[in-house]
Amino acid sequence: LLEFHTPIKLHTKANVNLRNAPNTQSKIISTLKNSTEVTANASQGSWLRVQVNQTQGWILNTGLEVGKN
């Protein structure tokens, strides 16, 4: 697990599953709609741990992109 010193603002580029662990077999907490803003605070392999409102979970990094400001 790699914790980020500075959280990174990203958004989903499709509907993606927010999971309770960094693997595809773990429980789905919720499904985030396309363009949902999230804050990544750690990574493990191809997974990013993100915060969405009051919920924290894991998303595969292929479902996220940097915000276009």
Side-chain angles (χ1 to χ4, degrees):
L1 178 70
L2 175 64
E3 301 265 353
F4 300 160
H5 288 288
T6 305
I8 302 166
K9 292 226 180 280
L10 302 166
H11 66 267
T12 58
K13 57 183 184 181
N15 291 352
V16 296
N17 292 325
L18 183 67
R19 295 182 178 271
N20 69 354
N23 64 69
T24 54
Q25 285 75 47
S26 64
K27 183 173 178 260
I28 296 171
I29 299 168
S30 68
T31 300
L32 304 180
K33 300 230 178 292
N34 186 17
S35 297
T36 301
E37 288 198 4
V38 302
T39 303
N41 54 33
S43 70
Q44 185 167 314
S46 298
W47 294 82
L48 289 170
R49 188 177 69 197
V50 300
Q51 185 86 27
V52 187
N53 301 320
Q54 300 305 310
T55 306
Q56 185 165 269
W58 294 87
I59 297 177
L60 255 179
N61 62 17
T62 54
L64 297 168
E65 62 188 359
V66 175
K68 300 180 188 87
N69 294 340

